[in-house]
Protein backbone atom coordinates (compact mmCIF):
# COMPACT_ATOMS: atom_id res chain seq x y z
CA UNK A 1 0.00 0.00 0.00
CA UNK A 2 2.84 2.33 0.87
CA UNK A 3 4.43 1.69 -2.50
CA UNK A 4 1.24 2.62 -4.27
CA UNK A 5 0.93 5.90 -2.38
CA UNK A 6 4.46 6.86 -3.30
CA UNK A 7 3.83 6.18 -6.94
CA UNK A 8 0.70 8.25 -6.84
CA UNK A 9 2.54 11.17 -5.32
CA UNK A 10 5.19 11.04 -7.99
CA UNK A 11 2.66 11.02 -10.78
CA UNK A 12 0.76 13.93 -9.28
CA UNK A 13 3.99 15.90 -8.97
CA UNK A 14 5.04 15.23 -12.53
CA UNK A 15 1.61 16.13 -13.91
CA UNK A 16 1.76 19.42 -12.04
CA UNK A 17 5.25 20.05 -13.42
CA UNK A 18 4.13 19.43 -16.97
CA UNK A 19 1.11 21.68 -16.43
CA UNK A 20 3.37 24.48 -15.25
CA UNK A 21 5.61 24.12 -18.26
CA UNK A 22 2.60 24.21 -20.58
CA UNK A 23 1.20 27.31 -18.86
CA UNK A 24 4.64 28.93 -19.16
CA UNK A 25 4.72 28.15 -22.86
CA UNK A 26 1.23 29.50 -23.43
CA UNK A 27 1.81 32.75 -21.59
CA UNK A 28 5.22 33.30 -23.19
CA UNK A 29 5.02 36.36 -25.36
CA UNK A 30 7.38 36.42 -28.25
CA UNK A 31 9.27 39.74 -28.33
CA UNK A 32 8.28 41.80 -31.33
CA UNK A 33 11.78 42.63 -32.42
CA UNK A 34 14.80 40.54 -31.70
CA UNK A 35 18.39 41.32 -32.52
CA UNK A 36 19.76 39.09 -35.23
CA UNK A 37 23.38 40.02 -34.63
CA UNK A 38 25.20 39.96 -31.34
CA UNK A 39 27.48 42.83 -30.34
CA UNK A 40 30.72 41.08 -31.28
CA UNK A 41 29.71 40.44 -34.89
CA UNK A 42 28.21 43.92 -35.17
CA UNK A 43 31.46 45.46 -34.00
CA UNK A 44 33.46 43.36 -36.42
CA UNK A 45 31.20 44.35 -39.30
CA UNK A 46 31.05 48.05 -38.59
CA UNK A 47 34.80 48.37 -38.14
CA UNK A 48 35.62 46.50 -41.32
CA UNK A 49 32.77 47.29 -43.66
CA UNK A 50 32.12 50.47 -45.59
CA UNK A 51 28.76 52.03 -45.05
CA UNK A 52 29.06 55.48 -46.52
CA UNK A 53 27.48 56.80 -49.67
CA UNK A 54 28.61 60.00 -51.26
CA UNK A 55 26.08 62.59 -52.19
CA UNK A 56 27.04 62.36 -55.87
CA UNK A 57 26.20 58.67 -56.11
CA UNK A 58 22.66 59.07 -54.86
CA UNK A 59 21.08 58.72 -58.30
CA UNK A 60 21.69 54.99 -58.27
CA UNK A 61 18.29 53.30 -58.86
CA UNK A 62 18.98 50.82 -56.09
CA UNK A 63 19.08 53.43 -53.36
CA UNK A 64 16.06 54.43 -51.31
CA UNK A 65 16.65 57.63 -49.36
CA UNK A 66 15.36 57.81 -45.81
CA UNK A 67 15.23 61.01 -43.82
CA UNK A 68 15.44 60.31 -40.09
CA UNK A 69 14.84 63.91 -38.99
CA UNK A 70 11.59 65.11 -37.50
CA UNK A 71 8.56 65.61 -39.79
CA UNK A 72 8.82 69.33 -39.08
CA UNK A 73 12.35 69.53 -40.43
CA UNK A 74 11.42 67.23 -43.25
CA UNK A 75 8.71 69.61 -44.39
CA UNK A 76 11.08 72.55 -44.25
CA UNK A 77 13.25 70.87 -46.79
CA UNK A 78 14.53 67.45 -47.73
CA UNK A 79 16.47 65.64 -50.39
CA UNK A 80 14.74 64.53 -53.53
CA UNK A 81 12.75 61.27 -53.30
CA UNK A 82 13.39 60.92 -49.60
CA UNK A 83 10.95 59.17 -47.28
CA UNK A 84 10.58 60.53 -43.77
CA UNK A 85 11.02 58.02 -40.95
CA UNK A 86 11.58 59.88 -37.70
CA UNK A 87 14.04 58.10 -35.41
CA UNK A 88 11.70 57.59 -32.41
CA UNK A 89 9.15 55.93 -34.72
CA UNK A 90 11.74 53.70 -36.33
CA UNK A 91 10.43 50.45 -34.88
CA UNK A 92 6.78 51.02 -35.78
CA UNK A 93 5.21 48.19 -37.75
CA UNK A 94 4.63 50.23 -40.88
CA UNK A 95 8.22 51.41 -40.98
CA UNK A 96 9.65 47.97 -40.31
CA UNK A 97 7.42 46.61 -43.08
CA UNK A 98 8.90 49.23 -45.36
CA UNK A 99 12.44 48.17 -44.46
CA UNK A 100 11.47 44.54 -44.99
CA UNK A 101 10.07 45.30 -48.41
CA UNK A 102 13.26 47.16 -49.31
CA UNK A 103 15.28 44.18 -48.20
CA UNK A 104 13.14 41.80 -50.23
CA UNK A 105 13.44 43.98 -53.30
CA UNK A 106 17.20 44.01 -52.90
CA UNK A 107 17.26 47.78 -52.48
CA UNK A 108 19.62 49.66 -50.22
CA UNK A 109 18.25 52.11 -47.66
CA UNK A 110 20.40 55.24 -47.38
CA UNK A 111 19.85 56.99 -44.06
CA UNK A 112 20.58 60.65 -43.54
CA UNK A 113 20.09 63.23 -40.83
CA UNK A 114 21.44 66.69 -40.21
CA UNK A 115 24.85 65.04 -40.07
CA UNK A 116 26.12 61.45 -40.26
CA UNK A 117 26.35 61.26 -36.44
CA UNK A 118 22.62 61.81 -36.15
CA UNK A 119 21.83 58.94 -38.51
CA UNK A 120 24.32 56.70 -36.75
CA UNK A 121 22.05 55.56 -33.91
CA UNK A 122 19.05 54.48 -36.05
CA UNK A 123 21.50 52.86 -38.45
CA UNK A 124 23.03 50.75 -35.69
CA UNK A 125 19.66 49.74 -34.25
CA UNK A 126 18.41 48.58 -37.63
CA UNK A 127 21.70 46.93 -38.48
CA UNK A 128 21.64 44.84 -35.33
CA UNK A 129 18.06 43.85 -36.10
CA UNK A 130 19.43 42.13 -39.18
CA UNK A 131 18.87 44.69 -41.92
CA UNK A 132 22.14 44.53 -43.79
CA UNK A 133 21.00 46.65 -46.73
CA UNK A 134 21.78 49.95 -45.00
CA UNK A 135 24.09 52.83 -45.83
CA UNK A 136 24.76 56.27 -44.41
CA UNK A 137 24.87 59.46 -46.42
CA UNK A 138 28.14 61.28 -45.91
CA UNK A 139 26.67 64.79 -45.96
CA UNK A 140 25.49 67.61 -43.74
CA UNK A 141 22.29 69.60 -44.08
CA UNK A 142 22.20 73.35 -43.55
CA UNK A 143 19.65 76.00 -44.21
CA UNK A 144 20.69 79.01 -46.17
CA UNK A 145 18.03 81.58 -46.98
CA UNK A 146 15.32 79.02 -46.28
CA UNK A 147 16.88 76.54 -48.65
CA UNK A 148 18.30 73.20 -47.72
CA UNK A 149 21.96 73.02 -48.58
CA UNK A 150 23.69 69.66 -48.55
CA UNK A 151 27.43 69.65 -48.20
CA UNK A 152 29.69 66.63 -48.19
CA UNK A 153 31.46 66.01 -44.90
CA UNK A 154 34.24 63.77 -43.67
CA UNK A 155 33.58 61.50 -40.74
CA UNK A 156 36.20 60.95 -38.04
CA UNK A 157 38.83 63.09 -39.72
CA UNK A 158 41.27 64.89 -37.52
CA UNK A 159 40.83 68.56 -38.27
CA UNK A 160 43.77 69.92 -36.36
CA UNK A 161 47.05 68.72 -34.97
CA UNK A 162 46.55 69.72 -31.37
CA UNK A 163 49.96 68.67 -30.13
CA UNK A 164 51.67 70.71 -32.86
CA UNK A 165 49.44 73.69 -32.12
CA UNK A 166 50.42 73.68 -28.47
CA UNK A 167 54.10 73.38 -29.30
CA UNK A 168 53.83 76.21 -31.81
CA UNK A 169 52.08 78.46 -29.33
CA UNK A 170 54.81 77.90 -26.80
CA UNK A 171 57.45 78.68 -29.40
CA UNK A 172 55.66 81.82 -30.55
CA UNK A 173 55.09 83.25 -27.16
CA UNK A 174 58.71 83.36 -26.20
CA UNK A 175 61.54 81.16 -27.22
CA UNK A 176 63.57 81.94 -24.15
CA UNK A 177 60.99 81.93 -21.49
CA UNK A 178 60.61 78.68 -19.71
CA UNK A 179 57.02 77.78 -19.37
CA UNK A 180 55.92 75.46 -16.70
CA UNK A 181 53.23 73.34 -18.16
CA UNK A 182 51.13 72.23 -15.31
CA UNK A 183 50.14 68.73 -16.11
CA UNK A 184 47.37 67.30 -14.03
CA UNK A 185 48.42 64.71 -11.56
CA UNK A 186 48.35 61.32 -13.15
CA UNK A 187 45.32 59.55 -11.94
CA UNK A 188 45.82 55.90 -11.38
CA UNK A 189 42.70 53.93 -11.92
CA UNK A 190 42.79 50.40 -10.81
CA UNK A 191 39.82 48.50 -11.93
CA UNK A 192 39.85 44.94 -10.94
CA UNK A 193 38.88 42.72 -13.80
CA UNK A 194 35.67 41.02 -13.12
CA UNK A 195 35.88 37.36 -12.54
CA UNK A 196 34.44 35.39 -15.30
CA UNK A 197 31.17 33.92 -14.24
CA UNK A 198 30.79 30.23 -14.38
CA UNK A 199 28.44 28.99 -16.98
CA UNK A 200 25.06 28.90 -15.44
CA UNK A 201 22.51 26.16 -15.55
CA UNK A 202 22.82 22.78 -17.08
CA UNK A 203 21.77 19.69 -15.32
CA UNK B 1 -2.92 -10.51 -8.78
CA UNK B 2 -4.58 -7.17 -8.31
CA UNK B 3 -1.32 -5.62 -7.32
CA UNK B 4 0.34 -6.81 -10.50
CA UNK B 5 -2.40 -5.33 -12.65
CA UNK B 6 -2.24 -1.93 -11.00
CA UNK B 7 1.52 -1.95 -11.37
CA UNK B 8 1.11 -2.54 -15.10
CA UNK B 9 -1.27 0.38 -15.51
CA UNK B 10 1.03 2.60 -13.50
CA UNK B 11 4.02 1.64 -15.61
CA UNK B 12 2.10 2.69 -18.71
CA UNK B 13 1.34 6.03 -17.12
CA UNK B 14 5.05 6.55 -16.50
CA UNK B 15 5.81 5.98 -20.12
CA UNK B 16 3.38 8.68 -21.15
CA UNK B 17 4.78 11.13 -18.64
CA UNK B 18 8.32 10.44 -19.76
CA UNK B 19 7.31 10.94 -23.37
CA UNK B 20 5.78 14.35 -22.65
CA UNK B 21 8.89 15.46 -20.80
CA UNK B 22 11.10 14.41 -23.71
CA UNK B 23 8.91 16.35 -26.14
CA UNK B 24 9.09 19.44 -23.93
CA UNK B 25 12.86 19.11 -23.76
CA UNK B 26 12.84 19.35 -27.53
CA UNK B 27 11.88 23.00 -27.06
CA UNK B 28 15.48 23.66 -26.06
CA UNK B 29 16.38 23.38 -29.73
CA UNK B 30 14.73 26.77 -30.18
CA UNK B 31 17.08 28.45 -27.74
CA UNK B 32 20.12 29.18 -29.98
CA UNK B 33 17.94 31.56 -31.99
CA UNK B 34 17.54 33.74 -28.94
CA UNK B 35 21.13 33.52 -27.82
CA UNK B 36 22.10 36.13 -30.37
CA UNK B 37 19.53 38.39 -28.83
CA UNK B 38 21.81 39.42 -25.94
CA UNK B 39 21.50 42.64 -24.03
CA UNK B 40 18.59 45.02 -23.76
CA UNK B 41 15.58 45.09 -26.07
CA UNK B 42 15.77 46.94 -29.40
CA UNK B 43 13.01 49.33 -28.31
CA UNK B 44 14.94 50.19 -25.16
CA UNK B 45 18.16 50.68 -27.11
CA UNK B 46 16.44 53.05 -29.50
CA UNK B 47 14.92 55.00 -26.62
CA UNK B 48 18.35 55.35 -25.00
CA UNK B 49 19.91 56.38 -28.28
CA UNK B 50 17.40 59.15 -28.89
CA UNK B 51 18.08 60.76 -25.55
CA UNK B 52 20.85 63.34 -25.73
CA UNK B 53 21.68 62.77 -22.08
CA UNK B 54 24.81 60.89 -23.01
CA UNK B 55 26.53 63.92 -24.46
CA UNK B 56 28.90 65.90 -22.33
CA UNK B 57 30.29 69.25 -23.50
CA UNK B 58 33.98 70.05 -23.85
CA UNK B 59 33.66 72.87 -21.32
CA UNK B 60 32.36 70.46 -18.71
CA UNK B 61 35.21 68.04 -19.33
CA UNK B 62 37.76 70.86 -19.14
CA UNK B 63 36.25 71.98 -15.84
CA UNK B 64 36.38 68.45 -14.47
CA UNK B 65 39.98 67.94 -15.59
CA UNK B 66 41.14 71.19 -14.05
CA UNK B 67 39.44 70.39 -10.77
CA UNK B 68 40.93 66.91 -10.86
CA UNK B 69 37.53 65.31 -10.54
CA UNK B 70 38.25 61.66 -9.73
CA UNK B 71 34.84 60.34 -10.74
CA UNK B 72 35.33 59.65 -14.42
CA UNK B 73 37.53 57.83 -16.92
CA UNK B 74 38.28 59.22 -20.37
CA UNK B 75 38.34 56.53 -23.03
CA UNK B 76 39.93 57.33 -26.38
CA UNK B 77 38.41 54.99 -28.98
CA UNK B 78 40.71 56.09 -31.82
CA UNK B 79 43.61 54.09 -33.18
CA UNK B 80 46.74 53.84 -31.11
CA UNK B 81 48.76 56.07 -33.46
CA UNK B 82 46.44 59.05 -33.10
CA UNK B 83 46.24 58.42 -29.38
CA UNK B 84 50.01 58.69 -29.09
CA UNK B 85 50.05 61.88 -31.12
CA UNK B 86 47.63 63.72 -28.91
CA UNK B 87 44.94 62.78 -26.48
CA UNK B 88 43.21 64.32 -23.53
CA UNK B 89 45.12 64.23 -20.25
CA UNK B 90 44.82 60.93 -18.38
CA UNK B 91 42.83 59.28 -21.14
CA UNK B 92 43.15 55.56 -21.68
CA UNK B 93 43.22 54.12 -25.17
CA UNK B 94 40.74 51.42 -26.11
CA UNK B 95 40.46 51.35 -29.92
CA UNK B 96 36.92 50.76 -31.15
CA UNK B 97 37.87 47.29 -32.39
CA UNK B 98 38.86 46.18 -28.91
CA UNK B 99 35.94 47.71 -27.09
CA UNK B 100 34.31 44.36 -26.37
CA UNK B 101 37.46 42.54 -25.31
CA UNK B 102 37.62 41.04 -21.85
CA UNK B 103 40.30 43.49 -20.64
CA UNK B 104 38.27 46.47 -21.79
CA UNK B 105 35.27 45.16 -19.93
CA UNK B 106 37.05 45.78 -16.65
CA UNK B 107 37.16 49.50 -17.44
CA UNK B 108 33.80 49.85 -19.11
CA UNK B 109 31.52 47.53 -17.19
CA UNK B 110 31.76 48.94 -13.66
CA UNK B 111 29.72 51.20 -11.47
CA UNK B 112 32.58 53.12 -9.88
CA UNK B 113 33.39 55.71 -12.54
CA UNK B 114 31.63 57.53 -15.33
CA UNK B 115 33.07 56.48 -18.66
CA UNK B 116 33.46 59.23 -21.26
CA UNK B 117 34.07 58.01 -24.80
CA UNK B 118 35.68 60.31 -27.32
CA UNK B 119 37.14 60.15 -30.83
CA UNK B 120 37.91 62.74 -33.50
CA UNK B 121 34.25 63.69 -33.69
CA UNK B 122 31.53 61.72 -31.96
CA UNK B 123 30.84 59.14 -34.65
CA UNK B 124 33.01 56.28 -33.43
CA UNK B 125 32.43 57.24 -29.82
CA UNK B 126 28.71 56.94 -30.45
CA UNK B 127 29.20 53.50 -31.98
CA UNK B 128 31.13 52.39 -28.91
CA UNK B 129 28.38 53.86 -26.77
CA UNK B 130 25.65 52.04 -28.67
CA UNK B 131 27.33 48.65 -28.33
CA UNK B 132 28.15 49.05 -24.66
CA UNK B 133 24.71 50.42 -23.96
CA UNK B 134 23.14 47.39 -25.55
CA UNK B 135 25.13 45.24 -23.14
CA UNK B 136 23.64 47.38 -20.37
CA UNK B 137 26.90 48.90 -19.11
CA UNK B 138 26.21 51.77 -16.74
CA UNK B 139 27.36 55.40 -16.60
CA UNK B 140 28.43 55.81 -20.20
CA UNK B 141 28.90 59.27 -21.71
CA UNK B 142 30.12 60.65 -25.03
CA UNK B 143 32.20 63.78 -25.50
CA UNK B 144 30.16 65.93 -27.86
CA UNK B 145 32.21 66.83 -30.91
CA UNK B 146 35.25 64.86 -29.77
CA UNK B 147 38.81 66.08 -30.20
CA UNK B 148 37.89 68.42 -33.06
CA UNK B 149 35.46 70.28 -30.86
CA UNK B 150 37.93 70.17 -28.01
CA UNK B 151 40.45 71.95 -30.21
CA UNK B 152 37.95 74.52 -31.44
CA UNK B 153 36.53 75.41 -28.05
CA UNK B 154 39.17 74.81 -25.42
CA UNK B 155 42.60 74.68 -27.00
CA UNK B 156 42.06 77.39 -29.60
CA UNK B 157 38.94 79.33 -28.60
CA UNK B 158 37.76 81.93 -31.11
CA UNK B 159 38.31 85.45 -29.82
CA UNK B 160 35.05 87.36 -29.48
CA UNK B 161 34.74 90.73 -31.16
CA UNK B 162 33.96 93.78 -29.13
CA UNK B 163 30.33 93.97 -30.11
CA UNK B 164 29.61 90.55 -28.65
CA UNK B 165 27.77 90.22 -25.35
CA UNK B 166 29.58 90.02 -22.07
CA UNK B 167 28.91 86.28 -21.74
CA UNK B 168 30.93 85.60 -24.86
CA UNK B 169 33.85 87.48 -23.39
CA UNK B 170 33.56 85.70 -20.07
CA UNK B 171 33.40 82.37 -21.84
CA UNK B 172 36.47 83.29 -23.85
CA UNK B 173 38.47 84.20 -20.75
CA UNK B 174 37.45 80.98 -19.07
CA UNK B 175 38.37 78.93 -22.11
CA UNK B 176 41.64 80.78 -22.55
CA UNK B 177 42.57 80.10 -18.96
CA UNK B 178 41.64 76.46 -19.48
CA UNK B 179 43.77 76.22 -22.60
CA UNK B 180 46.71 77.62 -20.66
CA UNK B 181 46.16 74.86 -18.13
CA UNK B 182 46.41 72.34 -20.97
CA UNK B 183 49.71 73.76 -22.16
CA UNK B 184 48.91 76.51 -24.66
CA UNK B 185 50.95 79.66 -24.21
CA UNK B 186 49.80 83.13 -25.20
CA UNK B 187 52.36 85.83 -25.95
CA UNK B 188 50.46 88.40 -23.91
CA UNK B 189 50.29 86.14 -20.90
CA UNK B 190 53.91 85.16 -20.69
CA UNK B 191 55.95 87.14 -18.27
CA UNK B 192 59.14 87.72 -20.12
CA UNK B 193 60.92 89.39 -17.29
CA UNK B 194 59.34 88.20 -14.13
CA UNK B 195 61.93 89.59 -11.77
CA UNK B 196 62.07 93.27 -12.29
CA UNK B 197 64.98 94.80 -10.61
CA UNK B 198 63.76 96.88 -7.76
CA UNK B 199 65.16 100.30 -8.02
CA UNK B 200 67.30 100.96 -5.11
CA UNK B 201 66.87 104.40 -3.83
CA UNK B 202 70.05 106.39 -4.31
CA UNK B 203 71.83 106.75 -1.14
CA UNK B 204 71.57 110.14 0.19
CA UNK B 205 74.80 111.33 1.28
CA UNK B 206 74.41 113.47 4.19
CA UNK B 207 77.37 115.45 4.90
CA UNK B 208 77.46 116.65 8.32
CA UNK B 209 79.25 119.78 8.64
CA UNK B 210 81.25 120.01 11.62
CA UNK B 211 80.42 122.97 13.46
CA UNK B 212 83.31 125.02 14.16
CA UNK B 213 83.63 125.06 17.67
CA UNK B 214 83.82 128.38 19.04
CA UNK B 215 87.04 128.92 20.67
CA UNK B 216 86.61 128.06 24.11
CA UNK B 217 87.05 130.93 26.04
CA UNK B 218 89.72 131.55 28.44
CA UNK B 219 89.23 133.69 31.16
Amino acid sequence: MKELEKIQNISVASTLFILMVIIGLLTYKKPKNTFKLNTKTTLENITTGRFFVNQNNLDHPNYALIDIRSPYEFQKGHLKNAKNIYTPELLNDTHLDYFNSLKNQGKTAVLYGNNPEEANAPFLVLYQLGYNNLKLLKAEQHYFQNKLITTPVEVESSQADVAAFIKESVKNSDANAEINVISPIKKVITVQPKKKKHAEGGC
Amino acid sequence: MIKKQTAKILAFRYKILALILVILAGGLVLLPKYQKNEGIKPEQLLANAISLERYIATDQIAHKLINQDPSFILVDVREEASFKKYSLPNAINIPLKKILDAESGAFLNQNQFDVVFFSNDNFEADQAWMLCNRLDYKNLRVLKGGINSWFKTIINPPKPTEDMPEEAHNLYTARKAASMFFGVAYPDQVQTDPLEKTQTAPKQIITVKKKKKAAEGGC
Side-chain angles (χ1 to χ4, degrees):
Chain A
M1 216 44 207
K2 251 187 180 175
E3 193 76 7
L4 211 68
E5 238 171 57
K6 221 190 237 169
I7 286 167
Q8 240 171 3
N9 283 347
I10 292 174
S11 23
V12 167
S14 49
T15 333
L16 278 177
F17 174 76
I18 289 168
L19 261 177
M20 261 165 60
V21 171
I22 288 172
I23 289 171
L25 274 179
L26 288 179
T27 50
Y28 175 71
K29 215 170 107 195
K30 199 180 165 236
K32 208 180 102 201
N33 300 308
T34 46
F35 288 122
K36 300 282 184 310
L37 295 177
N38 63 9
T39 41
K40 280 247 163 74
T41 24
T42 314
L43 182 64
E44 245 178 65
N45 293 351
I46 57 173
T47 45
T48 49
R50 302 201 51 79
F51 295 100
F52 290 112
V53 174
N54 275 328
Q55 195 189 336
N56 307 333
N57 306 336
L58 272 183
D59 299 330
H60 201 284
N62 235 3
Y63 286 155
L65 259 181
I66 287 163
D67 190 324
I68 57 97
R69 301 173 306 156
S70 65
Y72 171 72
E73 277 178 295
F74 182 76
Q75 280 187 354
K76 274 199 329 193
H78 60 87
L79 297 184
K80 218 170 76 184
N81 299 332
K83 180 182 163 67
N84 185 215
I85 295 180
Y86 187 29
T87 313
E89 292 155 11
L90 192 69
L91 297 179
N92 286 5
D93 288 336
T94 45
H95 296 324
L96 284 181
D97 286 346
Y98 178 68
F99 282 112
N100 279 330
S101 71
L102 283 182
K103 196 178 175 184
N104 293 338
Q105 287 168 29
K107 282 191 169 183
T108 305
V110 180
L111 306 184
Y112 78 90
N114 279 327
N115 47 38
E117 280 97 23
E118 209 180 83
N120 195 11
F123 168 80
L124 274 176
V125 172
L126 285 175
Y127 190 77
Q128 293 180 81
L129 282 172
Y131 297 96
N132 45 16
N133 55 333
L134 299 171
K135 298 250 177 196
L136 283 171
L137 182 64
K138 214 158 63 169
E140 260 180 344
Q141 326 295 331
H142 300 283
Y143 290 100
F144 181 69
Q145 293 179 348
N146 281 335
K147 253 187 164 179
L148 188 82
I149 310 281
T150 311
T151 45
V153 68
E154 279 304 314
V155 173
E156 285 298 330
S157 65
S158 181
Q159 286 173 6
D161 190 344
V162 186
F165 176 83
I166 292 177
K167 244 184 215 168
E168 191 69 22
S169 80
V170 174
K171 216 191 264 174
N172 286 345
S173 61
D174 193 347
N176 301 324
E178 265 187 46
I179 290 149
N180 291 327
V181 177
I182 314 159
S183 57
I185 301 161
K186 189 88 185 158
K187 189 167 64 178
V188 183
I189 303 163
T190 46
V191 181
Q192 285 183 339
K194 284 200 175 164
K195 271 186 191 168
K196 265 199 180 166
K197 282 180 192 161
H198 291 288
E200 281 174 58
C203 314
Chain B
M1 270 313 266
I2 301 165
K3 261 188 186 174
K4 255 190 184 175
Q5 262 187 343
T6 44
K8 248 187 191 174
I9 295 166
L10 285 174
F12 179 64
R13 198 197 282 168
Y14 277 140
K15 271 179 197 161
I16 290 178
L17 284 175
L19 203 71
I20 293 175
L21 279 174
V22 167
I23 290 169
L24 286 175
L28 289 174
V29 178
L30 294 172
L31 271 183
K33 198 184 158 196
Y34 293 103
Q35 250 172 14
K36 283 183 180 167
N37 197 26
E38 57 174 352
I40 59 175
K41 285 181 185 163
E43 290 83 10
Q44 185 61 41
L45 182 66
L46 184 67
N48 292 346
I50 296 164
S51 143
L52 300 177
E53 228 173 75
R54 65 174 178 277
Y55 290 121
I56 186 165
T58 46
D59 285 298
Q60 273 171 290
I61 281 292
H63 182 78
K64 282 184 177 213
L65 279 173
I66 291 167
N67 288 317
Q68 294 174 5
D69 188 334
S71 69
F72 70 105
I73 317 176
L74 285 166
V75 176
D76 192 338
V77 299
R78 300 174 302 164
E79 294 300 315
E80 208 180 331
S82 1
F83 172 75
K84 279 193 176 145
K85 220 167 161 195
Y86 179 80
S87 191
L88 300 187
N90 283 340
I92 49 173
N93 185 218
I94 305 180
L96 184 61
K97 280 179 188 170
K98 294 182 185 162
I99 210 96
L100 295 175
D101 288 4
E103 309 99 72
S104 320
F107 286 106
L108 305 177
N109 188 13
Q110 35 82 16
N111 291 328
Q112 215 173 343
F113 303 102
D114 279 359
V115 175
V116 182
F117 290 120
F118 67 93
S119 51
N120 278 330
D121 44 43
N122 51 21
F123 191 83
E124 283 184 359
D126 261 344
Q127 290 184 328
W129 184 90
M130 288 285 286
L131 291 174
C132 291
N133 189 274
R134 182 178 157 193
L135 294 174
D136 214 10
Y137 292 180
K138 301 279 181 264
N139 306 330
L140 302 176
R141 312 295 292 273
V142 170
L143 178 64
K144 180 90 187 155
I147 293 274
N148 288 337
S149 171
W150 172 259
F151 177 75
K152 272 183 237 156
T153 54
I154 305 295
I155 298 297
N156 187 19
K159 200 171 181 176
T161 50
E162 278 186 11
D163 55 344
M164 279 173 153
E166 197 191 345
E167 290 87 51
H169 286 269
N170 288 343
L171 185 67
Y172 175 69
T173 15
R175 283 175 169 178
K176 191 173 165 187
S179 73
M180 283 164 72
F181 180 85
F182 295 112
V184 182
Y186 292 86
D188 56 334
Q189 296 290 326
V190 175
Q191 287 186 317
T192 42
D193 199 0
L195 290 172
E196 257 182 56
K197 278 171 196 162
T198 44
Q199 278 193 334
T200 44
K203 266 188 188 166
Q204 266 186 328
I205 301 160
I206 303 162
T207 46
V208 183
K209 276 182 189 169
K210 274 188 183 172
K211 270 187 186 170
K212 264 189 184 174
K213 280 178 188 167
E216 282 170 55
C219 321

